[in-house]
Amino acid sequence: MVPVPSVRAVLRVSAYPFLLASTVSVAAAALCLDWDPDRVSPLFLLGVIAYLTVLERVIPHRWAWHPNAGEWRWYGVYFLLTMVASAFAQYLVSTVVSVVSPNESTLNLWTEIPAALLTGSLASYLVHRLGHTNAILWRLHGVHHVPEKVNVANNGVNHVLDIVLAQGTVQLALVLVGFSRDSVFVAGLFVAAQGYFVHANIDVRIGRLNHVLASPEQHRLHHSTDLSEAGHYGSDLSIWDHFFGSYTWRPGREPVAVGLGDPASFPRTGEIVSSLLHPLRRAKGPGTGSA
C-alpha cells in the first residue's frame, strides 16, 4: 500500500507555488476586471501575511523563532509605522507618477511587466546593499537586523526613514524609466509577496529556483551574524546577488545565529522610540553590516 504523504510534506512542496499562482491570479483579475490598485494592493498584502503566518504554525523552520506575546505587540507597532512610511513614500512620488508614468503601456504589457520587475529589483538590490555598506544608512537599516529571529511578523521591524528611502527610490526608478501604472502595480504585488515570503519562518525549500528567486533559505543567511555568509541583498530575485558576487547560499547552509554581532550597537526592538532616534546618536559599534 502506497503511503499517503502528510499534510506538512505536501505543504512544504506546494506552499510557494500556491503563493506564486495566487499572485499571478490576483494581478490578472485586477487588470482584466479593472480593480482599483489602491484597494487591491493592501488587501493582497494582508492576505499574504495571513497565509504565511498560518504556514509558520504548520511547517515552521524553528519553533524558537515564533514571536512571543511581547514581540507581537512590538512588531504590530512597527508594522503600522512601516505602512505609514510606505504610504508617505508613495505620496512623495505620486506627483512624478502622474506626470511621467503613462496610463497605457507603451510596450506589450506582458513584455513590460518582466522589464519593470527587473528594473525595480535592481534598484531595490542596490539601495539595500548600500544600507549595509554606508555607515549612515546602516544606522537606519540596522534596526531591521536587531531581532534574533526571522519571521513574518518582524519583517515590518524597520526604521521609517529606511522605508521611505528604499521604497521611494524603487518607485521613483520605475516611473522615471516610464513603465505604465499597470506594470508597476503587477511588479509591486510580486515584490510584496516575495518580501514577506523570504522572511517567513517556514520549512520550505525551492531547490534550483534559488538561483533565480529569493527564498527564506537565502534570507536567513542575510540575517546571519557571520558577515562572510550574510549576502543576499535581493528579496525578490536572486540574480543580482549572483551578478554582484553576494550569493552565498548552498543546499543545507544555515546561519548559526541571526541578528547583530554587537547587540549593544542598537537599541533592542522593544525600545521603539530609542530605535527611531538611534540615527541621531553617536555610533557605539561597527559602522556597517548586519553583524
Side-chain angles (χ1 to χ4, degrees):
M1 185 174 180
V2 179
V4 178
S6 69
V7 173
R8 292 182 180 182
V10 171
L11 282 175
R12 289 187 182 102
V13 176
S14 62
Y16 184 51
F18 178 79
L19 178 63
L20 291 180
S22 298
T23 303
V24 172
S25 298
V26 170
L31 294 180
C32 294
L33 301 176
D34 198 26
W35 291 347
D36 183 359
D38 291 335
R39 293 186 178 182
V40 174
S41 295
L43 291 175
F44 173 76
L45 178 61
L46 291 176
V48 168
I49 293 172
Y51 172 63
L52 294 173
T53 300
V54 171
L55 288 179
E56 287 189 329
R57 290 294 172 177
V58 180
I59 49 171
H61 172 65
R62 295 186 187 179
W63 280 103
W65 281 3
H66 288 317
N68 59 39
E71 288 169 338
W72 273 116
R73 289 193 294 270
W74 305 335
Y75 297 163
V77 173
Y78 277 107
F79 176 77
L80 292 176
L81 291 173
T82 294
M83 292 300 98
V84 170
S86 297
F88 183 63
Q90 180 62 53
Y91 171 77
L92 290 178
V93 299
S94 61
T95 302
V96 179
V97 172
S98 64
V99 174
V100 178
S101 186
N103 287 317
E104 302 295 334
S105 302
T106 55
L107 303 172
N108 177 279
L109 182 60
W110 301 110
T111 300
E112 191 180 14
I113 287 173
L117 178 58
L118 287 171
T119 302
S121 179
L122 176 59
S124 177
Y125 175 93
L126 294 175
V127 73
H128 188 185
R129 187 161 187 170
L130 193 60
H132 282 262
T133 56
N134 179 277
I136 296 175
L137 296 181
W138 169 247
R139 290 176 65 73
L140 296 173
H141 183 65
V143 170
H144 179 68
H145 285 265
V146 173
E148 296 172 349
K149 309 174 179 182
V150 180
N151 55 49
V152 168
N154 66 26
N155 186 44
V157 175
N158 300 287
H159 195 286
V160 290
L161 294 181
D162 186 40
I163 292 298
V164 170
L165 175 65
Q167 295 195 7
T169 298
V170 173
Q171 293 171 22
L172 197 58
L174 289 172
V175 299
L176 288 178
V177 170
F179 291 113
S180 68
R181 297 176 191 177
D182 284 346
S183 64
V184 172
F185 163 70
V186 174
L189 291 183
F190 174 75
V191 169
Q194 280 291 109
Y196 276 90
F197 169 68
V198 300
H199 226 266
N201 176 32
I202 55 178
D203 184 18
V204 169
R205 295 173 177 81
I206 68 172
R208 293 183 179 179
L209 282 177
N210 274 291
H211 296 289
V212 179
L213 300 169
S215 74
E217 300 169 83
Q218 299 169 36
H219 201 70
R220 288 191 279 266
L221 289 172
H222 174 70
H223 280 262
S224 176
T225 57
D226 179 358
L227 286 179
S228 67
E229 65 183 9
H232 298 290
Y233 302 103
S235 60
D236 41 35
L237 303 179
S238 60
I239 56 174
W240 304 117
D241 286 291
H242 271 301
F243 187 83
F244 291 107
S246 53
Y247 191 96
T248 68
W249 177 81
R250 61 175 181 270
R253 187 175 195 177
E254 293 187 8
V256 173
V258 298
L260 299 171
D262 179 13
S265 62
F266 277 83
R268 304 309 297 161
T269 300
E271 300 171 2
I272 298 174
V273 175
S274 294
S275 295
L276 296 177
L277 295 177
H278 177 72
L280 302 178
R281 296 170 179 168
R282 181 176 299 178
K284 298 180 180 178
T288 59
S290 62

